[in-house]
């Protein structure tokens, strides 16, 4: 590596954030990018460990030590080329990936890991600023056509790889804008949407055609895709949200987190209120908001509620509170269970763990509170504690309890593909082929609710499998 003793001499330094009081006044990104000297020093902490566990910790198998060294040497162009060799969209993962690579960093055993995510983001941002990210137009066309259903990270990665292999690729998206979860599931303050737009411009120059506001299975039949394309890739994600099955949950003040987040992203995009909220405006302004679910989506609801001017925000989790620090001897190099405080939490939220929701309180039309109880976990089994019932004031309850699989109506019904035991589209990770000939699947629709970086990996690998079936051989990487 560039500096053999860097990990001994230099402390970890993360990216800075704008002050919470300032950043909650807008929906823009609020990360303060490190300067080149700081980035070089952080890259110098990469310790030439011999076996880079970060490679395996990263789902797309990023060549992390290699581009760390290049950043230390200030060779940004070659660092970008290495980064793009494994990841189509590092500007997405560099912002919203939880960085399992850092958990796997060898330095993490005895110290704090290398700031891999920050360096990755800096490389790709430099690449765009310098004009190094350009369309990769294939030298020849194969005459084969592929329909990709869904424009989230899996669909986009698959489409870009197939277009670069010379196939004619059309991406079908049911929403009015391209991006799927990237567009409407992630708040703008975590990832601004111009990042998606410029990738779409690049992909169009590479030969990808985008067709938004076209839901396959509703606006377009799957049969028509079979007639007009040589292969079909199902990349529609995992959208069937877990329901809250308690009395009162049917009241209008109990809403899905994704509906809440999508509305605000549409407002930020310039849509008027009617277009942003066709089922009725959903705002946290002046309200006591309760978010049920302790994951990233719940955290996004916290940050959005604070920006909308909520009176109070409470986030509930049914699982017990995690330890503040992981047992590295037990968990490394795997992803550890530990308490994680997001930037949204730092902006203001009441957090509570081991809480069971029992009843939504209200008059049938207006929500006024949420009745809860304490639970304890014994040998993996949940047990309600005696005399532990309490009530939380609530005007708006947002459900961020995860997803149970892809929606079955329309697309999957028409496709007739087999499902696995969890209700996802059945396919292995070698061929990504479904039970129906010529139909492939990847991303959350295949693996269930997961990370953006896993979606990119599956999209890339699925593209190679499709290319092999169409052409008999493929030069695309896995």
């Amino acid at each position: 590596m560039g500096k053999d003793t860097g990990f001994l001499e230099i402390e970890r330094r993360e990216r800075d954030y704008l002050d919470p009081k300032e950043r909650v006044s807008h929906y823009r990104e609020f990360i303060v990018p490190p300067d080149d000297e700081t980035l070089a020093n952080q890259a110098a902490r990469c310790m030439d460990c011999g076996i880079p566990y970060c490679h395996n910790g990263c789902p797309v198998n990023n060549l992390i030590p290699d581009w760390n060294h290049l950043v230390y040497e200030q060779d940004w162009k070659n660092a970008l080329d290495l980064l793009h060799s494994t990841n189509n969209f590092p500007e997405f993962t560099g912002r919203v990936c939880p960085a399992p690579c850092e958990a796997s960093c060898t330095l993490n055993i005895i110290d704090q890991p290398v700031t891999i995510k920050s360096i990755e983001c800096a490389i790709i941002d430099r690449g765009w600023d310098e004009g190094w990210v350009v369309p990769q137009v294939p030298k020849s066309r194969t005459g084969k056509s592929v329909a990709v259903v869904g424009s989230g990270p899996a669909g986009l990665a698959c489409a870009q790889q197939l277009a670069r292999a010379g196939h004619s690729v059309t991406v079908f998206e049911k929403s009015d804008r391209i991006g799927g979860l990237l567009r409407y599931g992630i708040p703008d303050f975590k990832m601004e949407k111009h990042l998606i737009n410029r990738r779409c411009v690049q992909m169009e120059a590479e030969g990808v055609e985008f067709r938004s506001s076209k839901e396959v299975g509703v606006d377009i039949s799957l049969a028509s895709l079979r007639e007009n394309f040589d292969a079909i890739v199902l990349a529609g994600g995992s959208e069937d949200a877990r329901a809250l099955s308690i009395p009162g949950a049917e009241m209008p003040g109990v809403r899905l987190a994704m509906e809440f987040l999508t509305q605000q992203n549409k407002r930020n995009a310039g849509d008027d209120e009617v277009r942003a909220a066709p089922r009725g405006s959903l705002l946290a302004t002046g309200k006591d908001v309760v978010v049920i679910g302790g994951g990233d989506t719940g955290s996004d609801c916290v940050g959005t509620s604070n920006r909308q001017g909520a009176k109070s925000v409470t986030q509930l989790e049914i699982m017990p509170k995690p330890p503040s620090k992981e047992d590295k001897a037990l968990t490394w190099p795997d992803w550890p269970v530990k308490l994680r405080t997001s930037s949204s939490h730092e902006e203001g939220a009441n957090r509570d763990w081991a809480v069971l929701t029992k009843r939504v309180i209200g008059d049938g039309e207006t929500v006024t509170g949420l009745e809860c109880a304490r639970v304890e976990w014994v040998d993996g089994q949940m047990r309600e504690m005696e005399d532990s019932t309490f009530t939380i004031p609530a005007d708006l309850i947002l459900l961020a309890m995860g997803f149970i699989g892809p929606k079955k109506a329309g697309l999957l019904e028409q496709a007739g593909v087999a499902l696995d035991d969890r209700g996802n589209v059945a396919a292995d990770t070698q061929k990504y082929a479904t039970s129906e000939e010529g139909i492939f699947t990847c991303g959350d629709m295949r693996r269930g609710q997961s990370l953006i970086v896993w979606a990119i990996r599956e999209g890339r690998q699925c593209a190679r499998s499709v290319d092999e079936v169409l052409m008999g051989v493929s030069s695309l990487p896995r």
Side-chain angles (χ1 to χ4, degrees), residues 296-325:
D296 288 341
T297 301
S299 171
D300 293 343
C301 288
V302 170
T304 302
S305 295
N306 282 326
R307 282 162 177 76
Q308 290 182 357
K311 180 180 178 182
S312 70
V313 184
T314 301
Q315 185 177 19
L316 304 179
E317 169 59 57
I318 197 169
M319 299 300 293
K321 185 177 181 178
S324 58
K325 294 183 179 181

Side-chain angles (χ1 to χ4, degrees), residues 39-286:
L39 289 164
N41 285 334
Q42 291 303 299
R45 297 183 72 239
C46 192
M47 61 188 298
D48 194 17
C49 55
I51 301 177
Y53 286 89
C54 57
H55 280 197
N56 198 52
C58 173
V60 294
N61 306 124
N62 274 332
L63 305 175
I64 295 162
D66 303 79
W67 43 255
N68 276 336
H69 174 71
L70 291 169
V71 169
Y72 175 78
E73 297 287 346
Q74 298 290 291
D75 188 352
W76 293 91
K77 180 64 168 62
N78 280 320
L80 177 67
D81 291 342
L82 274 180
L83 183 54
H84 267 148
S85 70
T86 57
N87 187 351
N88 293 68
F89 313 118
E91 64 269 41
F92 304 159
T93 53
R95 285 170 168 80
V96 297
C97 180
C101 54
E102 294 190 13
S104 297
C105 177
T106 303
L107 186 55
N108 192 39
I109 301 174
I110 58 170
D111 197 351
Q112 295 299 307
V114 176
T115 56
I116 299 169
K117 180 177 174 179
S118 298
I119 296 170
E120 175 185 27
C121 193
I123 294 170
I124 182 60
D125 286 352
R126 174 66 67 90
W128 282 106
D129 291 343
E130 297 289 346
W132 296 331
V133 183
V134 296
Q136 298 181 27
V137 181
K139 295 180 180 179
S140 61
R141 296 291 179 180
T142 65
K144 302 292 185 178
S145 61
V146 183
V148 177
V149 183
S151 69
L156 290 179
C158 185
Q160 185 168 59
Q161 293 296 96
L162 287 169
R164 289 174 175 179
H167 304 302
S168 297
V169 182
T170 303
V171 176
F172 294 88
E173 169 57 50
K174 66 180 181 180
S175 296
D176 58 344
R177 296 179 177 91
I178 298 298
L181 177 69
L182 297 167
R183 174 74 64 178
Y184 288 132
I186 297 172
D188 289 9
F189 55 80
K190 288 177 65 175
M191 193 187 85
E192 294 182 15
K193 303 308 179 260
H194 69 87
L195 302 173
I196 305 171
N197 298 340
R198 66 186 183 186
R199 278 295 182 183
C200 289
V201 171
Q202 179 197 34
M203 292 174 65
E204 286 175 330
E206 293 170 344
V208 176
E209 178 185 351
F210 292 108
R211 299 186 65 185
S212 59
S213 299
K214 298 294 182 182
E215 183 172 358
V216 178
V218 178
D219 304 306
I220 302 173
S221 70
L222 191 89
S224 69
L225 296 191
R226 278 190 170 280
E227 293 176 3
N228 293 292
F229 294 90
D230 297 303
I232 300 170
V233 176
L234 306 181
S238 180
E239 295 183 302
D240 195 358
R242 184 173 284 109
L244 181 64
S245 300
I246 62 174
E250 73 284 353
M251 281 191 270
V254 181
R255 307 289 281 271
L256 294 175
M258 294 308 296
E259 183 182 4
F260 176 67
L261 297 174
T262 296
Q263 283 193 16
Q264 187 55 56
N265 281 7
K266 283 178 174 289
R267 294 186 192 101
N268 294 344
D271 289 358
D272 61 35
E273 195 60 34
V274 173
R275 185 181 177 196
R279 293 181 56 239
S281 184
L282 183 56
L283 289 166
T285 310

Side-chain angles (χ1 to χ4, degrees), residues 181 238 443-444 447-455:
L181 177 69
S238 180
D444 288 5
R447 67 180 290 114
Q449 177 185 344
S450 190
L451 305 177
I452 286 175
V453 68
W454 274 108

Side-chain angles (χ1 to χ4, degrees), residues 300-473:
D300 293 343
C301 288
V302 170
T304 302
S305 295
N306 282 326
R307 282 162 177 76
Q308 290 182 357
K311 180 180 178 182
S312 70
V313 184
T314 301
Q315 185 177 19
L316 304 179
E317 169 59 57
I318 197 169
M319 299 300 293
K321 185 177 181 178
S324 58
K325 294 183 179 181
E326 74 270 34
D327 184 345
K328 293 182 179 181
L330 179 66
T331 61
W332 183 89
D334 294 326
W335 182 251
V337 175
K338 67 176 184 178
L339 179 63
R340 302 178 191 278
T341 299
S342 72
S343 59
S344 291
H345 295 140
E346 293 172 350
E347 294 162 4
N350 303 310
R351 305 171 71 188
D352 206 349
W353 290 265
V355 174
L356 173 69
T357 55
K358 300 189 68 174
R359 179 171 65 96
V360 178
I361 302 170
D363 60 7
E365 291 295 328
T366 303
V367 171
T368 59
L370 182 64
E371 183 180 300
C372 307
R374 301 286 175 187
V375 297
E376 58 183 352
W377 291 82
V378 180
D379 297 327
Q381 299 296 315
M382 184 185 71
R383 181 172 62 198
E384 184 177 338
M385 300 173 67
E386 294 184 5
D387 301 322
S388 65
T389 301
F390 64 99
T391 300
I392 301 174
D395 302 305
L396 174 63
I397 298 173
L398 300 173
L399 308 182
M401 303 180 297
F403 302 86
I404 59 176
K407 292 182 178 179
K408 310 304 187 297
L411 172 63
L412 296 187
E413 287 178 346
Q414 292 182 19
V417 293
L419 306 179
D420 64 18
D421 294 340
R422 297 186 299 154
N424 301 317
V425 179
D428 63 29
T429 56
Q430 292 300 313
K431 297 298 184 182
Y432 291 89
T434 70
S435 59
E436 296 296 312
E437 185 176 358
I439 300 181
F440 302 79
T441 187
C442 59
D444 288 5
M445 184 166 271
R446 189 205 69 82
R447 67 180 290 114
Q449 177 185 344
S450 190
L451 305 177
I452 286 175
V453 68
W454 274 108
I456 294 173
R457 171 196 174 108
E458 294 214 352
R460 289 169 61 87
Q461 293 187 343
C462 181
R464 179 182 171 92
S465 295
V466 173
D467 191 34
E468 286 179 334
V469 169
L470 293 179
M471 306 303 295
V473 66

